[in-house]
């Protein structure tokens, strides 16, 4: 009998896991032995050819069997570099390990090491190794998503030790379904992903687990859809005078794609069931104009709209954009953030509750928890990756608002329909016409001065620029201090003589607004910023961006950051600065290469799904799709279809009930943190 509770045991119960390892595993999202079992290798190493030092060639991967002559370590910034001179009968070479300080005392002269890696211009960069007589480096070995300070070897040993628990996972699929599609048992699949006999076996195992995962998702979506069918909304009368005036007031003509989305939204708003529509479009494609239209439709009907953003900065940014246009239209907008004083907040709540305010803008948390609307008819939810918020607090007289979800993390339309299941999808596929694609370059640290020279050339031509500070681990305060220090350093060095401002999450609202306003007005040349500028900031005259230590950011995050430039008609540039490629992890390299190769958000989203999983992305934003551990959306379309059919037949409903519940519960809490 399976004992699912065995999988709930914390990782500390395993031999070799103390507080330090537990913390490192925690950063990968691994807390229990079950999590460890579900930690999917990102690829497998097949046996590499064993060579002698003299026979190393080019950059070909190889295995060396050598003896340590001497070893030494040094630090460069955060990087710990361990170098060992190693030799075999044909010669000697310098081998390097990054961030594995614990290894130093074990590399005493005379120690035998088998190591796998690649020759590079410094010698030999080690990717995996065995001390003494083990032979793991030559096996068909899993390579796990990991952090710089957690060795593959540790993960391999730990996963090996939990494989015996695989039978405790149980089996949601009946034998009839399994045999029809020749699917392995779930338990065998868990063993198969960690210890496959071949690439094919690994892939079969992965697909089995992907099917379970997609089935869970489909069951959840089906439940959600059933619940929604019972909701009633206020149908809105057709667009009229205010909608027309809005088009007049806008400083541009809406694009065909924007008009198409608006048409679809108008259709939804006329119905007595609440709209549940996903508006997806790349960064800068012009979603906000569509969102404001939707909100104004509520106001026009004598009702209210709410715009919910994930962060305070974004809420403020939206407020400023909306307020400018709404003032011309005579529509009152209120901003609700936690930085209001108690008295300001009471006043704002009062205005919303009395109906004096037509549109309320705020964070998800505030609007959902605290605000009573006189007559909420439309809610726009920005950058909400999951199924979307529920409207608990927003319910008025048993009626639900029409909801528009906006996301700039697009996934292909057919997949969106399946993954979001119960949402209708509108897509803004083409940005406003006159934009030129942003030119992106990847520059290594030694040459960052050239990047600043380039940036200054833009400033001298009257343009503006962003410099994005490195992510630092730790509190928001620490991050803020690092940003301030960096701004001061740049003012004294690379950017001497220019007007440099700084924004970060620790500024008071008033201060942050003042800096942003000065930058927008052209009173600052450069904005040094943390990722608070990731979304929403919109200054068309800013044409160049430098992202420092770009290797530490996630792909979605880099794409969002890059979207801050290229907003006007000028050619824009994004310069990604990182350590030397030899010192980067494989996934960091893949991310930066992806950024250089395309500006297409859809393509990057797919690449991201392929690459993702590396734990060293401090502060990487969670998206709903991160929860798909095993699915590869592009390759698994057939599984999506199968999962849908199975869910319609109720297969696995009882077995997966808890997981479905958890998924729905999490979805509800998104945005409240
Ligand atoms: P998104 O929210 O999709 O990232 P925004 O709505 O912020 O994009 O729009 C990005 C920029 O494009 C803004 O400066 C906006 O004023 C401008 N814009 C939006 N629609 C159009 C349009 N139809 N023509 C020209 N510029 C537009
Ligand atoms: Mg936007």
């Amino acid at each position: 009998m399976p004992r699912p509770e065995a999988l709930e045991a914390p990782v500390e119960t395993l031999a070799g896991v103390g507080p330090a390892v537990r913390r490192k595993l925690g950063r990968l999202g691994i807390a229990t032995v079950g999590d460890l079992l579900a930690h999917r290798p990102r690829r497998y190493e097949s046996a590499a050819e064993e060579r002698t030092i003299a026979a190393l060639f080019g950059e070909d991967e190889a295995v060396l069997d050598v003896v340590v002559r001497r070893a030494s370590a040094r630090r460069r910034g955060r990087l710990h570099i361990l170098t060992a001179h190693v030799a075999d009968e044909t010669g000697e070479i310098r081998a390097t390990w990054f961030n594995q300080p614990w290894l130093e005392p074990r590399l005493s002269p005379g120690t035998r090491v088998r190591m796998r890696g690649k020759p590079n211009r410094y010698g030999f960069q080690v990717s995996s190794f065995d001390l003494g007589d083990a032979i793991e480096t030559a096996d068909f070995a899993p390579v796990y998503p990991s952090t710089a300070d957690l060795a593959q070897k540790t993960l391999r040993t730990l996963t090996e030790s939990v494989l015996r628990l695989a039978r405790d996972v149980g089996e949601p699929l009946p034998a009839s379904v399994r045999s029809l599609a020749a699917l392995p048992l779930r338990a065998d699949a868990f063993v198969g992903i960690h210890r496959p006999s071949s690439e094919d076996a690994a892939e079969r195992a992965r697909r089995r687990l992907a099917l379970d995962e997609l089935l869970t998702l489909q069951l959840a979506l089906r439940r959600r859809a059933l619940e929604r069918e019972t909701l009633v909304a206020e149908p809105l009368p057709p667009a009229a005078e205010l909608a027309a005036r809005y088009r007049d007031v806008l400083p541009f003509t809406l694009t065909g794609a924007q008009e198409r989305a608006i048409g679809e939204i108008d259709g939804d708003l006329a119905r007595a069931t609440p709209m549940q529509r996903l508006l997806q479009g790349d960064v800068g494609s012009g979603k906000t104009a569509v969102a404001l239209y939707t909100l104004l439709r509520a106001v026009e009907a004598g009702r209210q709209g709410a715009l919910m953003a994930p962060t305070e900065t974004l809420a403020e940014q939206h407020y400023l954009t909306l307020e400018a246009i709404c003032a011309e239209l005579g529509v009152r907008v209120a901003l609700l953030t936690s930085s209001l004083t108690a008295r300001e907040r009471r006043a704002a709540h009062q205005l919303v509750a009395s109906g004096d305010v037509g549109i309320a803008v705020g964070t998800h948390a505030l609007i959902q928890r605290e605000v009573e609307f006189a007559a909420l008819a439309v809610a726009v939810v920005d950058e909400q990756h999951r199924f979307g918020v529920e409207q608990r607090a927003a319910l008025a007289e048993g009626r639900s608002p029409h909801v528009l979800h906006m996301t700039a993390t697009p996934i292909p339309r057919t997949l969106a329909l399946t993954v979001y299941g119960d949402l209708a999808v509108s897509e803004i596929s083409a940005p406003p016409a006159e934009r030129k694609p942003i030119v992106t370059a990847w520059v290594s640290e030694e040459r960052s001065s050239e990047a600043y020279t380039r940036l200054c050339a833009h400033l001298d031509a009257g343009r503006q620029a962003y410099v994005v500070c490195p992510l630092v681990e730790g509190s928001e305060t620490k991050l803020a201090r690092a940003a301030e220090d960096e701004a001061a350093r740049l003012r004294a060095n690379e950017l001497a003589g220019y007007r440099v401002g700084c924004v970060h999450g620790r500024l008071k609202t008033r201060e942050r607004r003042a800096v942003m306003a000065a930058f927008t007005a052209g009173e600052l040349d450069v904005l040094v910023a943390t990722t608070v500028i990731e979304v929403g900031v919109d200054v068309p005259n800013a044409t160049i961006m430098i992202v420092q230590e770009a290797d530490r950011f996630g792909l979605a995050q880099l794409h969002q950051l890059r979207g801050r430039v290229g907003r006007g008609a000028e050619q824009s540039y994004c310069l990604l600065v990182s350590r030397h490629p030899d010192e980067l992890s494989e996934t960091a390299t893949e991310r930066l290469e992806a950024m250089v190769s395309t500006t297409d958000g859809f393509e990057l989203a797919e690449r991201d799904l392929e690459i993702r999983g590396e734990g060293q992305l401090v502060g990487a934003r969670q998206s709903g799709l991160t929860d798909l551990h095993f699915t590869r959306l592009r390759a698994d379309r057939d599984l999506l279809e199968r999962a849908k059919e199975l869910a319609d037949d109720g297969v696995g409903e009882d077995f997966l009930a808890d997981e479905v519940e958890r998924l729905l519960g999490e979805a509800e809490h998104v945005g409240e943190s």
Side-chain angles (χ1 to χ4, degrees), residues 544-566:
I544 186 164
M545 162 179 285
I546 289 180
V547 182
Q548 299 179 336
E549 297 191 26
D551 51 292
R552 295 171 61 78
F553 293 90
L555 197 47
Q557 215 168 13
L558 287 172
H559 180 58
Q560 290 278 349
L561 286 169
R562 180 168 62 182
R564 296 313 105 207
V565 293

Side-chain angles (χ1 to χ4, degrees), residues 342-362:
R343 179 194 299 194
E344 288 167 335
R345 196 184 298 198
R346 259 198 314 280
H349 285 187
Q350 178 55 38
L351 289 173
V352 176
S354 66
D356 287 346
V357 154
I359 298 173
V361 181

Side-chain angles (χ1 to χ4, degrees), residues 443-459:
V443 185
S444 71
E445 242 159 34
E446 304 95 270
R447 302 181 49 194
S448 75
S449 69
E450 290 171 37
Y452 282 95
T453 306
R454 204 69 179 267
L455 183 135
C456 292
H458 280 246
L459 302 182

